[in-house]
């Protein structure tokens, strides 16, 4: 064994990473437009990378001429606003037209730095990957891709009235799966989907669950939280947090509420449905969808629509809720579900995608098969009318959430990064 260097000792840690988030900026408020869990992921990972002395440059499309070219998010993390196409919010379906100018902006930034400026490129979502993989090849560095969502998966689980993802995206994802040096899956379920729908090679997939901000999202006094968000202390708050679009299915909660009141009319005086989030995707074209639905079902008087909230304010909404409802048709992870549990509030969620990882079924929350409002109403009724059952779930919820933390996510990502940038010939020679 003398003279043989263990493979793990050959791994080279990165010093600077290029992170690509083309269609949505880490500076955007999650919960509206295209900003959601992906934005939170990019911000939280970049911050913790910087704490480990890994500099991160995030490239995103400039949406306003007033944006500075570079914004320092925290020391060691810079957000680059790259002009690409007309300013303003653009539909994701037309963003592929502006991949070339975006790529040129990335290349110009790298050319202004020292030689070998970046050790690795990490793309988030297929649009980012389409630009990021070309930049990585130009710079001669590894390319890592996180899909976050996938067209074939979404198209297999479309909500009624929703539009399928375009074929251009399907082809783009096929190419990325073949071209990426490593693919990051949020859960084992997502890794399975990459293999099943895209033929991804098992040895190029790393499953690394996202985390939750355990410093901000913490348990707290429910009655005090209700008071802080302007509700009575006896309120039974059923909470939806996220982008308002058919994919996220906030309408399922509205319909379940009508079923709940039909089952138990006595709840009406203290029941509130809170929807925290902004219009997104197809929801932009039907802004009155939820209000019209609530009115038609006779529950408009107890539905409370609120814009996206700061993290501190959002934590109070979670703490105040009887349950957070996550009835999505597709989720690569389900960050909202984990945030809610971290605050001690159980979740009633659809048994789809990454939610089977985000929620410990029957322990920290409930997973519901399908999207029948009657089934959601039954679970919500039990949580309201059986306080001991809710209390049991509420006790276990923070424990489950604590197993999903950003420090672990970053540790595992750094291990993948280091393996990816280790010279292949040297690593193979040492491992024979």
């Amino acid at each position: 064994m003398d003279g043989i260097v263990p493979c793990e000792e050959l791994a080279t840690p990165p010093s600077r990473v290029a992170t690509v988030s083309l269609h949505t900026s880490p500076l955007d408020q999650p919960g509206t437009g295209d900003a959601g869990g992906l934005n939170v992921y990019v911000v939280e990972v970049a911050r913790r990378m910087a704490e480990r002395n890994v500099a991160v440059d995030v490239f995103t499309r400039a949406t306003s001429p007033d944006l500075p070219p570079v914004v320092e998010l925290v020391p060691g993390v810079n957000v680059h606003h790259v002009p690409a196409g007309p300013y303003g919010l653009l539909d994701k379906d037309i963003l592929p037209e502006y991949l070339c100018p975006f790529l040129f902006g990335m290349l110009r930034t790298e050319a202004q730095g020292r030689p070998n400026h970046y050790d690795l490129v990490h793309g988030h979502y297929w649009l980012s990957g389409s630009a990021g993989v070309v930049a990585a090849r130009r710079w001669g560095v590894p390319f890592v891709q996180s899909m976050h969502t996938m067209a074939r998966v979404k198209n297999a689980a479309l909500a009624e009235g929703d539009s399928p993802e375009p074929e251009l995206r399907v082809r783009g994802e096929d190419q990325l799966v073949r071209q990426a040096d490593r693919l990051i899956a949020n859960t084992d379920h997502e890794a399975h989907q990459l293999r099943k729908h895209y033929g991804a090679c098992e040895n190029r997939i790393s499953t690394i669950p996202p985390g939750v901000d355990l410093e901000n999202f913490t348990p707290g006094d429910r009655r005090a939280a209700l008071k802080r968000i302007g509700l009575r202390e006896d309120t039974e708050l059923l909470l939806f947090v996220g982008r308002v679009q058919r994919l996220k299915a906030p309408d399922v909660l509205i319909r379940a509420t009508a079923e709940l009141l039909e089952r138990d009319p006595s709840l009406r005086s203290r029941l509130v449905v809170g929807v925290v989030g902004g219009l997104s995707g197809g929801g932009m074209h039907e802004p009155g969808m939820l209000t019209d639905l609530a009115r038609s079902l006779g529950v408009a008087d107890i539905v409370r629509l609120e814009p996206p909230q700061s993290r501190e304010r959002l934590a109070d909404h979670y703490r105040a809720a009887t349950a957070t409802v996550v009835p999505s048709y597709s989720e690569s992870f389900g960050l909202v579900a984990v945030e809610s549990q971290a605050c001690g509030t159980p979740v009633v969620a659809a048994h789809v995608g990454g939610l089977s990882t985000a929620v410990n079924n029957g322990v920290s929350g409930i997973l519901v098969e399908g999207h029948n409002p009657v089934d959601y109403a039954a679970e919500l009724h039990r949580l309201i009318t059986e306080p001991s059952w809710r209390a049991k779930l509420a006790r276990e919820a923070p424990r489950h959430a604590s197993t999903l933390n950003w420090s672990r996510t970053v540790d595992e990502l750094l291990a993948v990064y280091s393996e990816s940038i280790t010279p292949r010939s040297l690593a193979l020679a040492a491992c024979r």
Side-chain angles (χ1 to χ4, degrees):
M1 293 294 291
D2 290 347
I4 297 179
V5 181
C7 292
E8 58 269 21
E9 293 182 10
L10 293 171
T12 305
S15 60
R16 183 177 295 273
V17 172
T19 295
V20 192
S21 182
L22 186 157
H23 75 290
T24 180
S25 170
L27 304 178
D28 292 343
Q29 167 69 53
T32 191
D34 290 322
L38 185 157
N39 302 67
V40 175
Y41 186 108
V42 170
V43 169
E44 297 294 343
V45 165
R47 283 176 171 162
R48 287 163 176 78
M49 288 277 180
E51 291 171 358
R52 290 161 171 77
N53 296 315
V54 178
V56 179
D57 284 350
V58 182
F59 292 91
T60 191
R61 190 182 73 87
T63 55
S64 169
D66 300 325
L67 289 169
V70 182
V71 173
E72 184 182 68
L73 182 64
V74 296
V77 179
N78 289 319
V79 177
H80 296 261
H81 293 116
V82 180
Y87 292 114
L89 298 177
L90 300 179
D91 192 289
K92 284 188 289 188
D93 289 346
I94 67 171
L95 283 177
E97 299 176 21
Y98 306 110
L99 282 173
C100 283
F102 185 85
L103 172 61
F104 292 154
M106 290 183 63
L107 297 178
R108 278 195 299 269
T109 299
E110 190 271 347
Q112 295 167 3
R114 59 171 175 77
N116 304 315
H117 194 56
Y118 297 111
D119 297 307
L120 178 138
V121 178
H122 190 161
H124 293 272
Y125 191 68
W126 82 275
L127 288 168
S128 302
S130 298
V133 69
V134 178
R137 298 297 176 254
R138 173 67 178 81
W139 298 333
V141 299
F143 175 70
V144 176
Q145 172 69 13
S146 294
M147 291 298 194
H148 293 280
T149 63
M150 291 174 274
R152 287 194 174 107
V153 175
K154 292 179 71 174
N155 287 347
L158 284 178
E160 183 179 351
D162 215 352
S163 300
E165 293 296 310
E167 182 61 26
L168 178 63
R169 176 179 177 182
V170 175
R171 294 199 303 270
E173 290 175 346
D174 273 329
Q175 291 174 354
L176 285 172
V177 167
R178 292 195 300 270
Q179 294 170 338
D181 295 287
R182 295 294 284 269
L183 295 162
I184 305 297
N186 286 333
T187 63
D188 289 336
H189 184 79
E190 185 181 353
H192 171 73
Q193 291 173 326
L194 281 165
R195 295 190 298 270
K196 175 183 176 182
H197 294 289
Y198 294 89
C201 296
E202 177 121 22
N203 62 2
R204 286 198 288 132
I205 303 173
S206 296
T207 300
I208 304 176
V212 63
D213 182 355
L214 295 172
E215 294 181 2
N216 182 72
F217 296 105
T218 59
D221 184 87
R222 185 176 166 213
R223 290 185 177 182
L226 281 164
K227 186 176 181 180
R228 284 194 294 270
I229 66 171
L231 294 174
R232 297 196 323 259
E233 292 184 359
D234 66 342
T235 300
E236 301 290 353
L237 173 63
L238 307 180
L239 182 66
F240 172 92
V241 174
R243 289 170 288 164
V244 178
Q245 57 178 224
R246 289 185 182 271
L247 176 73
K248 300 293 184 180
D251 62 293
V252 171
L253 173 56
I254 303 294
R255 298 179 193 277
T257 301
E259 293 284 348
L260 182 60
L261 290 177
E262 185 172 339
R263 173 193 290 245
D264 190 348
S266 68
L267 293 175
R268 189 175 199 103
S269 63
R270 54 195 176 97
L271 193 64
V272 171
V273 176
V275 176
V276 177
L279 298 173
S280 175
M284 303 286 286
H285 306 298
E286 42 187 359
M289 176 181 70
L290 292 186
T291 52
D292 291 345
L293 176 64
R295 192 178 299 113
S296 70
L297 294 174
V299 296
D301 57 313
I302 60 172
V303 174
R304 171 171 154 161
L305 303 180
E306 296 196 55
Q309 304 289 306
S310 68
R311 289 195 299 175
E312 294 74 18
R313 183 77 170 171
L314 183 57
D316 267 338
H317 280 77
Y318 287 134
R319 295 181 190 116
T322 302
T324 300
V325 183
V326 188
S328 307
Y329 285 87
S330 177
E331 284 286 354
S332 63
F333 180 57
L335 183 60
V336 163
V338 186
E339 290 175 345
S340 175
Q341 291 167 95
C343 291
T345 296
V347 173
V348 177
H351 196 176
V352 299
L355 286 167
S356 59
T357 297
V359 179
N360 190 350
N361 190 25
V363 178
S364 65
I366 301 298
L367 294 175
V368 179
E369 298 292 342
H371 297 83
N372 189 333
V374 174
D375 297 331
Y376 285 83
E379 297 297 347
L380 293 170
H381 187 260
R382 184 183 180 191
L383 285 171
I384 292 171
T385 58
E386 296 183 28
S388 61
W389 170 235
R390 183 194 179 280
K392 179 182 177 181
L393 296 179
R395 282 193 303 271
E396 294 299 324
R399 297 177 190 174
H400 178 61
S402 69
T403 67
L404 301 163
N405 62 81
W406 287 117
S407 291
R408 189 187 77 170
T409 302
V410 171
D411 287 342
E412 295 182 11
L413 273 177
L414 282 174
V416 170
Y417 287 179
S418 297
E419 292 168 8
S420 299
I421 65 180
T422 298
R424 288 184 177 85
S425 59
L426 180 61
L428 287 173
C431 292
R432 284 173 185 164

Coordinates of all heavy atoms in Angstrom, one line a residue, residues 245-273:
Q245 N -50.7 29.1 -9.0 CA -50.8 28.5 -10.3 C -51.4 27.2 -10.2 O -51.4 26.6 -9.1 CB -49.5 28.5 -11.0 CG -48.4 27.6 -10.2 CD -47.1 27.5 -11.0 OE1 -46.5 26.5 -11.0 NE2 -46.6 28.6 -11.5
R246 N -51.9 26.6 -11.3 CA -52.6 25.3 -11.2 C -51.7 24.2 -10.8 O -52.2 23.3 -10.1 CB -53.2 25.0 -12.6 CG -54.4 25.9 -13.0 CD -55.1 25.5 -14.3 NE -56.2 26.4 -14.6 CZ -57.4 26.3 -14.2 NH1 -57.8 25.3 -13.4 NH2 -58.4 27.1 -14.6
L247 N -50.5 24.2 -11.1 CA -49.5 23.2 -10.7 C -49.5 23.0 -9.2 O -49.4 21.9 -8.7 CB -48.1 23.5 -11.3 CG -47.0 22.5 -10.9 CD1 -47.2 21.2 -11.6 CD2 -45.7 23.1 -11.1
K248 N -49.5 24.2 -8.5 CA -49.4 24.1 -7.0 C -50.8 23.8 -6.4 O -50.8 23.6 -5.2 CB -48.9 25.5 -6.5 CG -47.5 25.9 -7.0 CD -46.5 24.9 -6.5 CE -45.1 25.4 -7.0 NZ -44.0 24.5 -6.5
A249 N -51.9 23.9 -7.1 CA -53.2 23.5 -6.7 C -53.8 24.1 -5.5 O -54.4 23.5 -4.6 CB -53.2 22.0 -6.5
P250 N -53.7 25.5 -5.4 CA -54.4 26.1 -4.2 C -55.9 25.9 -4.3 O -56.6 26.0 -3.3 CB -54.0 27.6 -4.3 CG -53.6 27.8 -5.8 CD -53.0 26.5 -6.2
D251 N -56.4 25.7 -5.5 CA -57.8 25.5 -5.6 C -58.3 24.2 -4.9 O -59.4 24.2 -4.4 CB -58.2 25.4 -7.1 CG -57.6 24.2 -7.8 OD1 -56.3 24.2 -7.9 OD2 -58.3 23.2 -8.1
V252 N -57.4 23.2 -4.7 CA -57.8 22.0 -4.0 C -58.1 22.4 -2.5 O -59.0 21.9 -1.9 CB -56.6 21.0 -4.0 CG1 -56.9 19.8 -3.1 CG2 -56.5 20.5 -5.5
L253 N -57.3 23.3 -1.9 CA -57.6 23.7 -0.6 C -58.9 24.5 -0.5 O -59.7 24.3 0.5 CB -56.4 24.6 -0.1 CG -56.7 25.3 1.3 CD1 -57.0 24.3 2.4 CD2 -55.4 26.1 1.7
I254 N -59.2 25.3 -1.5 CA -60.5 26.1 -1.4 C -61.6 25.1 -1.5 O -62.6 25.2 -0.8 CB -60.6 27.1 -2.6 CG1 -59.4 28.0 -2.6 CG2 -61.9 27.8 -2.6 CD1 -59.4 29.0 -1.5
R255 N -61.5 24.1 -2.4 CA -62.6 23.1 -2.6 C -62.7 22.2 -1.3 O -63.8 21.9 -0.9 CB -62.3 22.2 -3.8 CG -62.3 23.0 -5.1 CD -62.0 22.1 -6.3 NE -61.7 22.8 -7.5 CZ -62.6 23.3 -8.3 NH1 -63.9 23.2 -8.0 NH2 -62.3 24.0 -9.4
A256 N -61.6 21.9 -0.7 CA -61.6 21.1 0.5 C -62.2 21.8 1.7 O -62.9 21.2 2.5 CB -60.1 20.7 0.9
T257 N -62.0 23.2 1.7 CA -62.7 24.0 2.7 C -64.2 23.9 2.6 O -64.9 23.8 3.6 CB -62.2 25.4 2.6 OG1 -60.7 25.4 2.8 CG2 -62.8 26.3 3.7
A258 N -64.7 24.0 1.4 CA -66.1 23.9 1.2 C -66.7 22.6 1.6 O -67.7 22.5 2.3 CB -66.5 24.2 -0.3
E259 N -65.9 21.5 1.3 CA -66.3 20.2 1.8 C -66.3 20.1 3.3 O -67.1 19.5 4.0 CB -65.3 19.1 1.2 CG -65.4 19.0 -0.3 CD -66.7 18.2 -0.7 OE1 -67.3 17.6 0.1 OE2 -67.0 18.2 -1.9
L260 N -65.3 20.7 3.9 CA -65.1 20.7 5.4 C -66.3 21.4 6.1 O -66.8 20.8 7.1 CB -63.8 21.4 5.7 CG -63.4 21.5 7.2 CD1 -63.2 20.1 7.8 CD2 -62.1 22.3 7.3
L261 N -66.7 22.5 5.5 CA -67.8 23.2 6.1 C -69.2 22.5 5.9 O -70.1 22.6 6.7 CB -67.9 24.6 5.6 CG -66.8 25.5 6.0 CD1 -66.9 26.9 5.3 CD2 -66.8 25.7 7.5
E262 N -69.3 21.8 4.8 CA -70.5 21.0 4.6 C -70.5 19.8 5.6 O -71.6 19.5 6.1 CB -70.5 20.4 3.1 CG -71.7 19.7 2.8 CD -71.8 19.3 1.3 OE1 -71.1 19.9 0.5 OE2 -72.6 18.3 1.0
R263 N -69.4 19.3 5.9 CA -69.3 18.2 6.9 C -69.5 18.7 8.3 O -70.2 18.1 9.1 CB -67.9 17.6 6.8 CG -67.6 16.6 7.9 CD -66.1 16.2 8.0 NE -65.7 15.5 6.8 CZ -65.2 14.2 6.9 NH1 -65.2 13.6 8.0 NH2 -64.9 13.6 5.8
D264 N -69.0 19.9 8.6 CA -69.1 20.5 10.0 C -69.3 22.0 9.9 O -68.4 22.8 10.0 CB -67.8 20.1 10.7 CG -67.9 20.5 12.2 OD1 -68.9 21.1 12.6 OD2 -67.0 20.0 13.0
P265 N -70.6 22.5 9.7 CA -70.8 23.9 9.6 C -70.4 24.7 10.8 O -70.2 25.9 10.7 CB -72.4 23.9 9.4 CG -72.7 22.6 8.9 CD -71.8 21.6 9.5
S266 N -70.3 24.0 12.0 CA -70.0 24.8 13.2 C -68.6 25.4 13.2 O -68.3 26.3 14.0 CB -70.1 23.8 14.4 OG -69.0 22.8 14.4
L267 N -67.8 24.9 12.2 CA -66.4 25.5 12.1 C -66.3 26.9 11.5 O -65.3 27.5 11.6 CB -65.5 24.5 11.3 CG -65.2 23.1 11.9 CD1 -64.5 22.3 10.9 CD2 -64.5 23.3 13.2
R268 N -67.4 27.3 10.8 CA -67.3 28.5 10.0 C -66.9 29.7 10.8 O -66.1 30.5 10.3 CB -68.7 28.7 9.3 CG -68.6 29.8 8.2 CD -69.8 30.0 7.5 NE -69.5 30.7 6.2 CZ -69.4 30.1 5.0 NH1 -69.7 28.9 4.9 NH2 -69.1 30.9 4.0
S269 N -67.3 29.8 12.0 CA -67.1 31.1 12.7 C -65.6 31.3 13.1 O -65.2 32.4 13.4 CB -67.9 31.1 14.0 OG -67.6 30.0 14.9
R270 N -64.8 30.2 13.0 CA -63.4 30.3 13.4 C -62.4 29.8 12.4 O -61.2 29.7 12.6 CB -63.2 29.6 14.7 CG -63.6 28.1 14.8 CD -63.6 27.6 16.3 NE -64.1 26.3 16.4 CZ -63.3 25.2 16.4 NH1 -62.0 25.4 16.5 NH2 -63.9 24.0 16.5
L271 N -63.0 29.5 11.2 CA -62.1 28.9 10.1 C -61.6 30.0 9.2 O -62.4 30.9 8.7 CB -62.9 27.9 9.3 CG -62.1 27.0 8.4 CD1 -61.1 26.1 9.1 CD2 -63.0 26.1 7.5
V272 N -60.4 30.1 8.9 CA -59.8 31.0 7.9 C -58.9 30.2 7.0 O -58.1 29.4 7.4 CB -59.0 32.1 8.6 CG1 -58.2 32.9 7.5 CG2 -59.9 33.0 9.4
V273 N -59.0 30.5 5.7 CA -58.1 29.9 4.7 C -57.1 31.0 4.3 O -57.5 32.0 3.7 CB -58.8 29.4 3.4 CG1 -57.9 28.9 2.4 CG2 -59.8 28.3 3.9

